[in-house]
Amino acid sequence: MSTGRVRTKKKACSADQSPDNLPLRSSGRQVKKKAAEAADDDDEASEKKYRKCEKAGCTATCPVCFASAAERCAKNGYTSRWYHLSCGEHFCNECFDHYYRSHKDGYEKYTAWKRIWTSNGKSEPSPKAFMADQQLPYWVQCTKSDCGKWRQLTKEIQLTPQIAKTYRCGMKLNNSTKAEGSDQCSMPEDLRVAEVSDHWWYSMLILPPLLKDSVAAPFLAAYYPDCVGMSPSCTSTNRLPGESNLVKLEHLKSVPNLTVAGMNKYFQPFYQPNECGKALCVRPDVMELDELYEFPEYSRDPTMYLALRNLILALWYTNCKEALTPQKCIHHIIVRGLVRIRCVHEMERILYFMTRKGLINTGILSVSPDQYLLPKEYHNVSCRSNPYIISAIKLHGTCHNFLVIILEAKDRIGGRVWDDKTFKGVTVGRGAQIVNGCVNNPMALMCEQLGIKMHKLGEKCDLIQEGGRITDPTIDKRMDFHFNAILDVVSEWRKDKTQHQDVPLGEKIQEIYKAFIQESGIQFSELEEKVLQFHLSNLEYACGSNLSQVSARSWDHNEFFAQFAGDHTLLTVGYSTVIDKLAEGLDIRLNFPVQTIDYSGEEVQVTTADGTVWTTQKVLVTVPLALLQKNAIQFNPPLSEKKIKAINSLGAGVIEKIALQFPYRFWDSKIQGADFFGHGKESILMSVVTGDAVTSIKNLDDKQVLQQCMTVLRELFKEQEVPDPVKFFVTQWSKDPWLQMAYSFVKTGGSGEAYDIMAEDIQGKIFFAGEATNRHFPQTVTGAYLSGVREASKIAAF
């Protein structure tokens, strides 16, 4: 049988040798076999010139090694194995050995990278991860408006936001010898670029992109970088050096709120590990349900989505005074390889989704008429041509270039936000003036945008008895404990699934209180009873109603959702400063109370009290709950039974305010720095009337109410002269024909679900907003604002 050595020897023969000189024992069959083997050798030699990528589905028929690290790099020739990173990005076995084999020159570089990666990251520090993180070339897009082609940089060039922001075809980078020519943009784009946007290309990507030097890094120092879409090899994502991962992680978990230097302390967009319950906060390492619904392709591996979403959020909170556009984000996407092109495409989708959701590009922004915050397909939707919105100032900032007209029943804007600026030296809110929980609160965001300072309210609250004696704080603390213990028992009671019958909260509290007295044998003093009544009155203030009307089962329904955390603050300049700024540029028609809304046809017809008929595609109704309960607006067709039942299962709570300005601060000698008695340099006191007291003053004129107030004050400050006020007001919200309430609550027999039903649109034509449609944040200006953001997003989606 012929061997390889024989064949090799044959090839070395001189020219005068021929098959005729072979030994006679070689048969004809052997000659044929030798000829066939020679043909096989020719095929093998051809194969050794090229080798296809063995990754199933890879389209690269002739891969090229991007690494060019090994002296014997295969480049675009033969290698014993191609390592696949994407369709279009491979490295050869020789370059693999260069870094992976301990006797090779690149091994030290690989092991140094591996140490850093292992120290900071959680994912496996594999050779493929090394190549993707350290060796793949960067891609950058030409910034010329008439070009926009993607170009591959040489491997030595490190991409920076500045390069990405200014790059043009042919630009010299890092003292490159590449010549700059006027026709560089005319050069064709690499064919691989067109493939990146296809779905199959992403499915063939071996490793998800991990951003380098992400702006989100300072926010997320408590997380493993690769769990939130960032590269562990970057100095910006390094965590405490010299400690084990476990020690570092536990240390950083104990840091309650990591904020960026120079940034508003109320901006905390990301949950820290083991943290929960903060409104408008996102888990940086997990996609939320609405995100999964919008981007199902990331359900298996959300890394790219998380990397881009976290980057966008961080960029927004770094500068919330300007609209965040795709162009501003692109420059900060620093990642090696073709996947950067895919990231840029996806970033735009994610940015628009977050804008519609109201996480970014919200509040008070100056947007030019030719600037759009949503893609072009949203600019031509039917609701853009003529939507009329009733009392929806809060929608501004999210109306996304739709044409909006606001019909306002009153002679002023703001509804239950109404500031009195006639008091000397200070703004006094007749309605809302306090921001409850400032962390991530949109009101805190808008104050930052406007440069408004918020006054943090202290917790000190002196309780003064008749006769002027200040109550011992230990008594207040003890009774506050008992009060909260009673509410805890109410919470336990409603966990009993056999309890289907709701009862008034006031009745349940009395029942629990009496049972406690009987079982414990404790007898509270007269003073302790009064302090307990103070806390119950405070609860009536929170509910906006006598507790006899409030549901024991659902009075605090919204507490089951994440709430705004942090300081409670007073807007000393008043909410009207924010409202007036929001209203700038809007078409607002005052003194146009709406009487009927007819949505029986293709278009909606809105008729106002003067007989004017307005025709539109969509209407947003934000009238107070009390007016809906009294059928102040006639709907055709009538509202559904389900909607009407929800409207009537909520209560229209009423509180009133009394403000008095005095010639001097007579209370300072007794009250020292307590915000909840008197605040500010000006001599102004304000009292809130709640519960049964609202009914008791309803039929009194303002001067009679003033007399009652002065009687109480002079009883509290018996030891000194209390002067007459120089100015005062008494609100009459319940008598205002277009308001008739302060804020909503859940009536006995109702549930928090009523808020969701209130918020349901009708046929994609009639939408509802306002605090009584916000299950998570009712009773607040923030809740009303966010309901407008929510409905704007829904309107944009139809």
Side-chain angles (χ1 to χ4, degrees), residues 301-411:
D301 186 351
T303 305
M304 179 189 281
Y305 179 86
L306 295 174
L308 298 175
R309 179 251 268 158
N310 295 343
L311 172 67
I312 291 168
L313 266 180
L315 284 170
W316 167 244
Y317 280 102
T318 302
N319 182 12
C320 64
K321 296 181 180 180
E322 296 179 2
L324 187 62
T325 63
Q327 291 71 29
K328 292 180 181 178
C329 296
I330 289 171
H331 314 136
H332 296 277
I333 300 175
I334 307 298
V335 64
R336 291 180 179 273
L338 286 164
V339 74
R340 181 170 186 265
I341 302 171
R342 184 64 174 244
C343 286
V344 168
H345 294 165
E346 292 299 286
M347 178 277 303
E348 195 166 25
R349 290 177 61 211
I350 297 169
L351 178 80
Y352 290 143
F353 168 72
M354 295 173 70
T355 298
R356 293 203 326 269
K357 192 177 175 182
L359 288 175
I360 63 169
N361 289 333
T362 187
I364 299 168
L365 293 174
S366 296
V367 181
S368 61
D370 60 342
Q371 186 177 8
Y372 294 95
L373 301 181
L374 287 179
K376 292 180 179 179
E377 57 262 31
Y378 285 93
H379 306 164
N380 298 318
V381 293
S382 59
C383 67
R384 183 172 185 257
S385 60
N386 231 355
Y388 295 99
I389 297 175
I390 304 171
S391 295
I393 295 293
K394 61 194 75 69
L395 184 65
H396 186 57
T398 57
C399 54
H400 309 310
N401 304 94
F402 301 153
L403 175 61
V404 176
I405 296 177
I406 297 174
L407 303 179
E408 170 59 62
K410 296 180 70 64
D411 59 357

Side-chain angles (χ1 to χ4, degrees), residues 667-710:
W667 55 87
D668 274 351
S669 59
K670 181 176 290 188
I671 307 298
Q672 299 179 4
D675 284 317
F676 287 99
F677 187 82
H679 161 66
K681 296 178 181 178
E682 306 303 328
S683 307
I684 295 177
L685 293 180
M686 176 176 283
S687 178
V688 179
V689 183
T690 65
D692 290 336
V694 172
T695 305
S696 69
I697 70 167
K698 190 172 184 179
N699 296 320
L700 301 180
D701 62 30
D702 289 358
K703 288 187 177 180
Q704 289 173 315
V705 176
L706 172 63
Q707 288 173 359
Q708 289 193 3
C709 285
M710 294 308 299

Side-chain angles (χ1 to χ4, degrees), residues 530-726:
K530 288 183 177 180
V531 172
L532 181 60
Q533 287 301 315
F534 166 80
H535 289 292
L536 289 171
S537 296
N538 231 10
L539 186 57
E540 289 184 325
Y541 169 41
C543 295
S545 169
N546 185 300
L547 299 184
S548 63
Q549 300 180 49
V550 179
S551 166
R553 187 175 56 197
S554 302
W555 72 274
D556 60 346
H557 64 97
N558 60 309
E559 294 297 326
F560 295 100
F561 305 104
Q563 295 297 299
F564 291 108
D567 301 334
H568 300 314
T569 59
L570 181 75
L571 279 185
T572 52
V573 298
Y575 268 113
S576 60
T577 304
V578 176
I579 296 293
D580 291 343
K581 193 67 180 178
L582 285 170
E584 284 184 6
L586 290 179
D587 187 353
I588 303 174
R589 313 292 176 93
L590 300 178
N591 298 306
F592 274 96
V594 172
Q595 290 187 331
T596 64
I597 298 176
D598 188 332
Y599 60 99
S600 58
E602 282 193 19
E603 294 186 312
V604 183
Q605 291 191 326
V606 178
T607 305
T608 49
D610 66 344
T612 304
V613 178
W614 313 71
T615 302
T616 180
Q617 281 79 39
K618 303 186 187 298
V619 170
L620 177 58
V621 179
T622 67
V623 298
L625 172 69
L627 298 188
L628 291 175
Q629 291 176 336
K630 295 179 180 180
N631 298 316
I633 296 177
Q634 298 297 313
F635 291 87
N636 183 36
L639 298 178
S640 66
E641 289 186 17
K642 178 183 176 183
K643 178 84 78 174
I644 292 173
K645 183 179 178 181
I647 289 171
N648 291 319
S649 69
L650 298 178
V654 177
I655 66 169
E656 302 291 359
K657 283 186 172 184
I658 302 164
L660 307 95
Q661 186 167 36
F662 293 92
Y664 56 89
R665 295 169 60 89
F666 65 83
W667 55 87
D668 274 351
S669 59
K670 181 176 290 188
I671 307 298
Q672 299 179 4
D675 284 317
F676 287 99
F677 187 82
H679 161 66
K681 296 178 181 178
E682 306 303 328
S683 307
I684 295 177
L685 293 180
M686 176 176 283
S687 178
V688 179
V689 183
T690 65
D692 290 336
V694 172
T695 305
S696 69
I697 70 167
K698 190 172 184 179
N699 296 320
L700 301 180
D701 62 30
D702 289 358
K703 288 187 177 180
Q704 289 173 315
V705 176
L706 172 63
Q707 288 173 359
Q708 289 193 3
C709 285
M710 294 308 299
T711 300
V712 172
L713 280 173
R714 285 169 176 147
E715 178 65 24
L716 298 181
F717 293 87
K718 254 185 176 179
E719 71 281 2
Q720 66 188 83
E721 180 182 350
V722 177
D724 289 332
V726 295

Side-chain angles (χ1 to χ4, degrees), residues 142-148 168:
C142 179
T143 56
K144 287 183 69 174
S145 58
D146 58 346
C147 180
R168 294 194 173 192

Side-chain angles (χ1 to χ4, degrees), residues 99-168:
Y99 290 111
Y100 192 67
R101 305 302 176 191
S102 59
H103 63 283
K104 295 290 187 178
D105 293 343
Y107 180 73
E108 187 176 336
K109 183 175 182 179
Y110 172 66
T111 53
W113 168 86
K114 190 175 178 180
R115 281 194 298 271
I116 296 172
W117 189 278
T118 304
S119 175
N120 288 320
K122 197 173 184 181
S123 57
E124 183 68 26
S126 64
K128 285 189 175 182
F130 168 76
M131 288 294 196
D133 188 69
Q134 296 291 307
Q135 299 299 306
L136 270 175
Y138 285 103
W139 288 77
V140 65
Q141 190 173 26
C142 179
T143 56
K144 287 183 69 174
S145 58
D146 58 346
C147 180
K149 291 176 182 174
W150 284 93
R151 305 299 188 189
Q152 178 179 297
L153 302 180
T154 58
K155 191 176 68 171
E156 296 73 25
I157 296 176
Q158 298 292 318
L159 182 63
T160 65
Q162 183 59 27
I163 291 175
K165 189 176 182 179
T166 59
Y167 179 81
R168 294 194 173 192

